[in-house]
Amino acid sequence: MHTSSPRILITGAAGQLGTELTAELQKLYGEANVIATDIRTPKNFQGIFENIDVTNTIRLAYLIDKYKITQIYHLVAILSAKGEQNPTLAWQINVEVTRQILEIAREKRLEKVYVPSSIAVFGDKTPKHNAPQYTILNPSTIYGVSKLTCEMLFEYYYQKYNLDVRSLRYPGIISYKAMPGGGTTDYAIDIFHKAVARKPYECFLKPDTYLPMIYMPDALQATLQVMHAEAHKLRVRTSYNIGAMTFSPRQIFEEIQKHLPEFQITYQPDFRQQIADSWVHSIDDSFAREDWGWQPTFDLPAMVADMLVHLQKREMAWA
Ligand code: AKB
């Protein structure tokens, strides 16, 4: 163990983002310095793993002491679609648990805390194109309301207690390693799984629903960049806008069809259409670019090509 290395605890380490972020942090800091936690035990996990229900903050505090943790990446959240089915649970997990984690971090004088926010903080009064960093925020989902509350808490804990909380407003994250759970942007992942299985896809959003999206390698890069930035360079203490690409179900379908010409899609919008309609189309991320050098690398064609290569490789290995 390097004595200068941060000692990191991740909540939600078995989730879509957690799975890949844990591996990146292990590469950076060594397996001995990264403590992965989740309510589910991931299969074939390499490294230190502890089972935890995050509502059990007493156990969380115990693990922080046990492993001499200096930084937390708190990734557990109930996303937009699932949150609408259980708003009470969404509030408890997204707000109450997060506030308790901030309290623990303050009491134990942790060096840094990372908690994601989301484009769900925007609402129908936010400008749809190039949504500014500082703008009208009128979220319509409990997920958006809870993430906006958390953003206010990050700023409050920073101003009042000098707790170094960092955050990004993620667009829909697209990835192939672990499945997302309960989001509105999940269609942009589901569609690939149907395409490589040579099955038609029934999309739960209308063909021209434009949403901001980001490919996992860029999301990981942004997360590490904001966490590594010098504190005095961070002008935003709520959560940074980050943009990467914008597309609609029709556009991603057409891009996939360039690789798999037989692929077919139908549209059957459900309650998630209303959520998507309340969000913005694109993001102004100039604060992130200026403060810590944010620069995405994947656009729609590059992301689709990479997703298909990886998922087809996996499909072949399973066949
Ligand atoms: C969701 O769709 O709820 C999430 C998000 C945009 O934060 N992927």
Side-chain angles (χ1 to χ4, degrees):
M1 184 175 90
H2 316 279
T3 44
S4 58
S5 172
R7 304 268 303 156
I8 293 172
L9 182 138
I10 305 169
T11 73
Q16 185 201 3
L17 176 62
T19 300
E20 301 203 33
L21 191 55
T22 301
E24 287 303 309
L25 292 168
Q26 286 176 329
K27 265 191 246 158
L28 270 176
Y29 300 118
E31 274 180 18
N33 289 313
V34 178
I35 313 322
T37 74
D38 204 291
I39 199 161
R40 300 171 280 157
T41 308
K43 278 193 209 136
N44 309 321
F45 183 79
Q46 287 262 325
I48 306 173
F49 181 84
E50 293 273 0
N51 254 121
I52 184 167
D53 171 345
V54 277
T55 59
N56 186 350
T57 43
I58 294 176
R59 177 161 157 75
L60 198 68
Y62 160 78
L63 291 177
I64 288 169
D65 287 342
K66 175 176 169 187
Y67 290 105
K68 301 188 171 37
I69 295 301
T70 59
Q71 297 186 8
I72 301 182
Y73 286 68
H74 172 44
L75 308 183
V76 173
I78 305 289
L79 302 187
S80 57
K82 195 168 166 208
E84 290 315 288
Q85 282 148 1
N86 194 342
T88 305
L89 180 71
W91 185 263
Q92 188 200 7
I93 299 287
N94 296 354
V95 179
E96 286 167 15
V97 169
T98 302
R99 197 193 66 81
Q100 287 186 38
I101 288 179
L102 297 180
E103 267 304 291
I104 295 172
R106 173 179 81 83
E107 277 167 22
K108 297 188 182 296
R109 298 180 192 284
L110 298 195
E111 191 181 280
K112 269 182 218 169
V113 180
Y114 179 77
V115 189
S117 186
S118 158
I119 55 160
V121 297
F122 299 123
D124 65 359
K125 304 284 186 291
T126 313
K128 284 267 177 226
H129 300 283
N130 292 327
Q133 178 68 48
Y134 294 107
T135 182
I136 297 173
L137 300 171
N138 65 318
S140 62
T141 60
I142 191 68
Y143 173 57
V145 171
S146 62
K147 283 294 178 188
L148 181 53
T149 308
C150 287
E151 288 191 7
M152 301 289 104
L153 284 174
F154 306 154
E155 172 113 54
Y156 180 81
Y157 272 76
Y158 174 68
Q159 298 294 352
K160 191 164 173 87
Y161 304 116
N162 204 23
L163 181 65
D164 192 353
V165 190
R166 303 186 180 197
S167 178
L168 302 175
R169 288 176 178 157
Y170 289 126
I173 302 179
I174 298 168
S175 68
Y176 56 86
K177 287 197 181 148
M179 291 301 278
T184 303
T185 57
D186 293 8
Y187 91 84
I189 297 174
D190 299 344
I191 193 170
F192 283 102
H193 289 270
K194 290 290 184 200
V196 297
R198 301 287 193 272
K199 290 188 178 146
Y201 178 58
E202 186 179 278
C203 184
F204 57 77
L205 297 181
K206 291 184 198 159
D208 293 318
T209 311
Y210 288 85
L211 288 172
M213 301 278 183
I214 187 168
Y215 194 32
M216 182 62 92
D218 280 335
L220 294 172
Q221 171 70 16
T223 308
L224 296 175
Q225 263 183 296
V226 77
M227 280 301 271
H228 291 154
E230 289 171 70
H232 72 269
K233 294 209 171 132
L234 302 179
R235 284 176 293 169
V236 177
R237 282 297 179 169
T238 48
S239 185
Y240 275 94
N241 277 7
I242 51 161
M245 61 183 104
T246 288
F247 57 79
S248 66
R250 193 200 307 277
Q251 287 176 320
I252 190 172
F253 162 69
E254 286 172 0
E255 196 57 45
I256 294 173
Q257 229 189 14
K258 288 183 191 161
H259 301 259
L260 300 168
E262 312 288 289
F263 185 44
Q264 294 297 321
I265 192 167
T266 53
Y267 299 95
Q268 197 63 52
D270 66 16
F271 72 101
R272 289 168 280 193
Q273 183 66 48
Q274 214 182 336
I275 300 177
D277 286 343
S278 76
W279 291 350
V280 301
H281 295 173
S282 58
I283 311 278
D284 172 359
D285 55 11
S286 44
F287 277 82
R289 288 174 189 260
E290 286 162 21
D291 290 3
W292 41 271
W294 166 237
Q295 178 79 59
T297 44
F298 284 87
D299 59 7
L300 176 64
M303 177 275 284
V304 167
D306 201 62
M307 280 289 284
L308 288 174
V309 165
H310 286 99
L311 285 174
Q312 283 174 322
K313 223 187 266 168
R314 194 193 296 175
E315 189 82 357
M316 264 149 50
W318 285 348

